[in-house]
Amino acid sequence: MSNSFGRVLTVTTFGESHGPAIGCVIDGFPPGFEITAEEIRDELMRRATGQSRWTSQRKEAEDVQILSGMFEGKTTGTPIALLIYNTDARSKDYTKIAAQFRPGHADYTYHHKYGIRDYRGGGRSSARETTMRVAAGALARKYLKLHYGVEIVGWLGQLGELVCDESFDAAVINDNPFFCPDEKRVPDLEEYMKALWKSGDSVGALVRARATGVPVGIGAPVYAKLDGDLAAAMMSINATKGVEIGAGFASVAHKGTEHRDEITPEGFLSNHAGGILGGIASGQPVELSVAFKPTSSLRLPGRTVDTEGKPVEIITTGRHDPCVGIRAVPIVEAMLALTLLDHILLHRAQCGDVPAQTPRVTG
Ligand code: EPS
């Protein structure tokens, strides 16, 4: 089925945006690991709506409950079930468009696929679902850091036409509501977003992420490539339209002599590969970028059809993100953490006792 993610460490999410609750079951997580609901909630609040004026104003408590898989504060190795009640759904916002398809939205395809659709808040296709990815990602992220020294950082690379990371300071990313790594750029982003709100339009964004300290050798060839799994993980997030690993599409214009990351005993001399060679981690930072499309719920009228196929003009009211890519930063980080931990566990199973005979280069 299509609601589960991962090979050894699996996450199954359930729930709809306007249903009573959302949740997930994490299976295969290593036992004996300490984590609290508060730590998970801290991660959730980075992604949550209503935290700044630049995102949807829905106010959810994100009061995550750990229902199973933990005893005396530690994971037990059994399925970890997490649950969050939805407390601020406003379904009447959707009554007018219940029988219409927002252009650019999954409304149309869900309707044709299933013949029935929970139109309230986009139902299962809502970005609300990503809450549980971030919840599961909080466990993976903490484990990766404590057991392997892996550090994950995500940031906004571009919002519309505004490039945000010409200057990069990781320390400021969490100090502004855009996850922007250049604090001098924040006023420009505010101006841009103000104008966007006023116009009623939405815009796309580019999210970048990097994981350092990734153990060399994790990943797998051919059908379980680390980059393949990362691409699938990122493309499974709502509104994604593209993923690049390392130099990505810029590789097209590279010469081989430029693109290859030359190796010296002191380290690699570049990282166009984004830390992955042949689907297997090189030990260099894993680097990727994800393109998010503009939100399709717009108050500006657009042409569409209704469920009878008749032409109608659609206007979407309610609380929507004018740039869903902003809140996507913690989601990209979570999917990166989950994919890396899944591959570490997979690697431990098959190759955990392979002796390292060659010195490992870093950089
Ligand atoms: C969303 C539309 C809005 C957002 C929602 C994602 O839903 P609603 O109209 O119910 O407020 O608020 O985001 C969340 C609830 C969330 O937690 O991310 C959409 O269409 O994807």
Side-chain angles (χ1 to χ4, degrees):
M1 292 307 293
S2 55
N3 294 289
S4 299
F5 166 78
R7 295 174 185 274
V8 177
L9 173 68
T10 63
V11 180
T12 303
T13 69
F14 61 88
E16 285 80 30
S17 184
H18 289 210
I22 51 172
C24 73
V25 176
I26 306 162
D27 204 356
F29 198 87
F33 188 68
E34 281 181 26
I35 189 141
T36 62
E38 289 68 40
E39 285 173 278
I40 299 172
R41 190 170 178 274
D42 287 347
E43 278 295 315
L44 292 177
M45 294 320 286
R46 294 177 64 229
R47 189 218 67 94
T49 48
Q51 299 302 297
S52 82
R53 58 187 288 208
W54 315 117
T55 62
S56 158
Q57 291 306 300
R58 181 165 160 177
K59 296 260 197 299
E60 287 292 341
E62 309 297 22
D63 199 2
V64 62
Q65 296 181 31
I66 303 173
L67 301 184
S68 70
M70 298 214 39
F71 181 63
E72 295 180 340
K74 289 184 179 161
T75 57
T76 58
T78 60
I80 301 164
L82 304 179
L83 191 77
I84 298 174
Y85 286 103
N86 290 322
T87 53
D88 189 29
R90 219 169 58 189
S91 301
K92 68 172 169 31
D93 289 345
Y94 291 86
T95 318
K96 271 197 230 128
I97 61 163
Q100 300 178 349
F101 305 113
R102 282 167 284 182
H105 198 278
D107 289 343
Y108 182 80
T109 48
Y110 269 58
H111 180 84
H112 277 279
K113 182 172 180 65
Y114 297 107
I116 178 168
R117 175 170 67 91
D118 180 354
Y119 63 82
R120 305 163 309 159
R124 182 71 181 152
S125 71
S126 167
R128 182 96 191 107
E129 185 271 343
T130 61
T131 313
M132 298 322 300
R133 299 163 184 249
V134 174
L139 279 87
R141 191 175 187 157
K142 186 176 177 193
Y143 189 92
L144 286 169
K145 186 169 178 182
L146 294 185
H147 285 261
Y148 290 90
V150 173
E151 298 268 7
I152 290 175
V153 59
W155 67 92
L156 191 68
Q158 195 172 325
L159 183 139
E161 55 274 24
L162 289 185
V163 174
C164 308
D165 58 356
E166 261 163 21
S167 160
F168 185 88
D169 179 359
V172 305
I173 292 173
N174 286 309
D175 292 344
N176 68 80
F178 299 103
F179 300 99
C180 175
D182 177 1
E183 59 188 354
K184 292 188 303 304
R185 209 55 167 133
V186 174
D188 303 334
L189 291 167
E190 285 170 348
E191 282 313 306
Y192 189 99
M193 290 302 291
K194 254 188 236 164
L196 192 68
W197 268 115
K198 218 169 151 195
S199 74
D201 220 334
S202 62
V203 79
L206 183 75
V207 172
R208 296 190 195 277
R210 178 188 298 142
T212 52
V214 176
V216 62
I218 71 157
V222 192
Y223 299 115
K225 288 170 80 175
L226 178 58
D227 38 4
D229 282 358
L230 283 170
M234 300 305 156
M235 287 303 293
S236 75
I237 303 171
N238 314 52
T240 46
K241 281 294 169 196
V243 180
E244 291 185 290
I245 309 287
F249 284 97
S251 311
V252 174
H254 284 175
K255 296 286 191 310
T257 46
E258 176 192 3
H259 184 85
R260 62 183 176 180
D261 302 311
E262 288 183 283
I263 312 172
T264 70
E266 288 72 43
F268 291 88
L269 298 185
S270 53
N271 188 15
H272 296 115
I276 304 170
L277 295 165
I280 297 172
S282 66
Q284 284 196 278
V286 168
E287 294 178 336
L288 54 85
S289 312
V290 189
F292 287 85
K293 69 175 182 174
T295 321
S296 48
S297 301
L298 298 171
R299 64 174 197 262
L300 301 177
R303 284 167 294 178
T304 188
V305 292
D306 64 16
T307 47
E308 287 172 10
K310 297 207 180 85
V312 288
E313 185 180 74
I314 189 164
I315 292 173
T316 309
T317 52
R319 308 163 295 185
H320 298 285
D321 295 89
C323 177
V324 81
I326 299 173
R327 289 196 296 122
V329 172
I331 311 168
V332 167
E333 292 173 344
M335 295 310 284
L336 177 53
L338 287 165
T339 308
L340 290 177
L341 184 54
D342 190 28
H343 270 277
I344 283 177
L345 299 180
L346 194 65
H347 180 77
R348 272 180 6 189
Q350 189 196 7
C351 301
D353 55 3
V354 172
Q357 283 150 348
T358 304
R360 287 167 183 182
V361 299
T362 52

